[in-house]
Amino acid sequence: MSAPLPVLADAVREALERLLDRSDDFARAGLAIDRLEFAFGLDWQSDASLAVRAAADRDGVEPSTTIRVRLAARP
Amino acid sequence: MSDSSMQLEELQLADFVEGIACAVARAQFALDRNSAALVKELAETEVLVHAPRVFVDETVDADGDPVARETRTVDAPFRTNLLSLGLRPTFYQFARTTIDVALDLSTVEEIEESDDKTVKRRKVLKVNTGRVQRERRYTRSVEAHSRLTIELVPVPPPAALTDLGSLRAGTTQRRDDS
């Protein structure tokens, strides 16, 4: 099942909210989220809606999505 | 025996991101706690030292300026702890940590049924790395899909710990109000 963009945006928002909720844990460890990157593989669907393409939808199994979380020491 | 490290097939994206970020925070907390425990251990470990100690007795006037200074050496064994002898644990910090994770995405419709039989449907993104792992196992691809880069640097101990004076020598001040 492909994921329409609102579902994608909702998932990212929820991830950010979770990290904000845990900001005390990061502060206690002297760390801060320095960069958070989501690179989603996207496809145009037949109904012209932009959708997330899961790796299983393709011939290969190369993953289509990467997440990069970078943490840095607080000054 | 229960398997406490069972691999989960799928996680919600938010759970996944929170998990990997908080793992680093937990690791930093563990490093700090380890250094603090070592400080305590050094402070509680006493040793008998056979070395002369030099003490300076200083007499100061009403303005705090030294007017007399006397040095005396005490040549007798004394007990002290390892922290006072200058031993310090090394404090480490995750200066920069970058976690790149390659994932499979899937959309799952979650159905929640409340007590009043109301059914709530919600589409959520689930992530897993199962297919990535199978790819590596069966097609013998050696290309790394996920990468963890950690820059761990030693940092100076807390200032109060650095300022702890050695017990081997000391200066005492006496105010001369005569």
Side-chain angles (χ1 to χ4, degrees):
Chain A
M1 185 189 293
S2 61
L5 272 183
V7 174
L8 182 66
D10 201 42
V12 172
R13 178 194 54 75
E14 194 177 340
L16 292 175
E17 278 180 1
R18 291 283 191 84
L19 291 179
L20 286 174
D21 286 347
R22 303 294 294 268
S23 56
D24 281 356
D25 290 340
F26 293 116
R28 188 171 56 169
L31 295 170
I33 300 286
D34 186 44
R35 183 178 288 258
L36 191 58
E37 290 177 6
F38 296 90
F40 293 104
L42 297 172
D43 255 356
W44 284 104
Q45 300 292 89
S46 55
D47 61 354
S49 65
L50 202 58
V52 176
R53 180 172 56 175
D57 294 342
R58 297 197 283 175
D59 292 339
V61 285
E62 185 189 345
S64 58
T65 294
T66 56
I67 292 175
R68 169 174 290 181
V69 181
R70 198 167 80 184
L71 294 112
R74 288 155 61 97
Chain B
M1 191 174 71
S2 65
D3 182 4
S4 59
S5 61
M6 186 179 68
Q7 184 175 330
L8 296 174
E9 274 297 309
E10 284 188 321
L11 275 179
Q12 275 201 35
L13 180 73
D15 290 330
F16 189 83
V17 173
E18 180 188 8
I20 57 177
C22 286
V24 179
R26 278 199 301 276
Q28 178 66 63
F29 185 55
L31 280 178
D32 292 344
R33 195 160 49 186
N34 188 57
S35 298
L38 198 51
V39 169
K40 188 168 179 282
E41 191 178 326
L42 291 173
E44 289 172 352
T45 306
E46 286 205 335
V47 289
L48 189 64
V49 179
H50 297 267
R53 284 178 290 171
V54 179
F55 291 92
V56 178
D57 295 324
E58 213 169 58
T59 306
V60 295
D61 60 17
D63 297 327
D65 296 324
V67 292
R69 186 183 174 92
E70 187 185 338
T71 304
R72 60 190 166 89
T73 302
V74 177
D75 194 5
F78 65 99
R79 296 195 73 81
T80 187
N81 61 54
L82 294 175
L83 199 63
S84 299
L85 287 177
L87 269 75
R88 301 283 185 274
T90 307
F91 287 80
Y92 287 103
Q93 189 172 51
F94 285 103
R96 192 173 293 269
T97 308
T98 306
I99 307 162
D100 290 323
V101 188
L103 298 161
D104 289 331
L105 275 180
S106 58
T107 320
V108 175
E109 190 170 59
E110 285 188 346
I111 302 171
E112 270 182 48
E113 191 175 330
S114 56
D115 293 339
D116 59 355
K117 303 292 178 193
T118 310
V119 175
K120 193 185 283 184
R121 292 169 187 272
R122 176 183 175 233
K123 279 184 179 173
V124 294
L125 271 191
K126 296 266 186 175
V127 296
N128 78 72
T129 56
R131 283 196 201 94
V132 180
Q133 289 172 354
R134 282 195 289 275
E135 159 80 347
R136 193 159 50 238
R137 185 179 303 164
Y138 297 120
T139 67
R140 302 184 181 219
S141 164
V142 291
E143 186 186 348
H145 288 295
S146 299
R147 185 182 299 133
L148 172 64
T149 310
I150 293 176
E151 193 180 323
L152 199 63
V153 296
V155 291
L161 200 60
T162 312
D163 293 343
L164 273 180
S166 166
L167 286 184
R168 289 192 60 200
T171 300
T172 54
Q173 281 192 337
R174 187 171 69 85
R175 189 164 156 171
D176 183 14
D177 292 327
S178 61

